[in-house]
Amino acid sequence: MRRVLFAVVVTAIGLVLLLSFKPHDVAGVAEPPAALAPTQAQSPTPTAQGSTGSAGKPSGSRSVDGDVADTRWGPVQVRITLTGGKITDVQVLQAPDGNRRDIEINNRALPILQQEAMSAQSAQIDSVSGATYTSDGYTRSLQSAIDRAGL
């Protein structure tokens, strides 16, 4: 009986260790998705396009970059596009892409986070299951961009 109990405990510990393993360097890493490709202009200050309306708000659109949020697996940074005081787009400027698994997670999680941010019009969004660190970095960078935009 002791041998059986010992075998079960050792197997459980081995499975926990195996499931918590995340490879850091994988040969043949695929190219990052287009959403993660660096953009040419990455200024941390807001840039306005269009004229100013009668209420003092820009009538065109403007883009504001958020802070780079460092996460356990790499940096995350977003850029929001505002039109008339509403978030109309959220682009990912940086996201973890050190290995194939990071890219796979981000291909699934980033579109969900973008949709949630545009729906909520704030950084008060749910994390995506399986992408907790990326979700946390995304919301921190998004909140800094919203703060810079004065929303």
Side-chain angles (χ1 to χ4, degrees):
M1 189 66 176
R2 287 183 187 176
R3 288 182 187 174
V4 172
L5 183 61
F6 179 74
V8 169
V9 169
V10 169
T11 303
I13 290 171
L15 283 173
V16 168
L17 291 174
L18 182 63
L19 293 174
S20 66
F21 175 71
K22 178 168 174 55
H24 292 282
D25 191 34
V26 178
V29 173
E31 289 294 315
L36 300 180
T39 59
Q40 299 218 350
Q42 292 188 10
S43 66
T45 56
T47 56
Q49 301 168 344
S51 60
T52 303
S54 60
K57 292 185 179 178
S59 61
S61 65
R62 63 183 175 130
S63 297
V64 182
D65 293 355
D67 292 334
V68 176
D70 290 319
T71 69
R72 180 177 178 182
W73 304 116
V76 178
Q77 183 182 24
V78 300
R79 171 182 291 154
I80 60 173
T81 302
L82 303 157
T83 304
K86 274 188 79 171
I87 299 172
T88 56
D89 190 27
V90 182
Q91 297 172 334
V92 177
L93 301 178
Q94 293 183 53
D97 62 355
N99 60 53
R100 194 175 314 162
R101 181 70 177 139
D102 289 340
I103 294 169
E104 188 178 301
I105 288 169
N106 291 331
N107 282 340
R108 182 181 55 82
L110 294 175
I112 295 169
L113 291 167
Q114 177 191 30
Q115 186 61 43
E116 289 289 318
M118 290 185 350
S119 259
Q121 291 292 303
S122 74
Q124 302 299 317
I125 57 176
D126 292 332
S127 292
V128 174
S129 179
T132 306
Y133 293 105
T134 299
S135 296
D136 178 55
Y138 189 97
T139 56
R140 286 189 286 143
S141 183
L142 179 60
Q143 184 62 57
S144 69
I146 289 170
D147 292 344
R148 279 195 181 130
L151 296 180

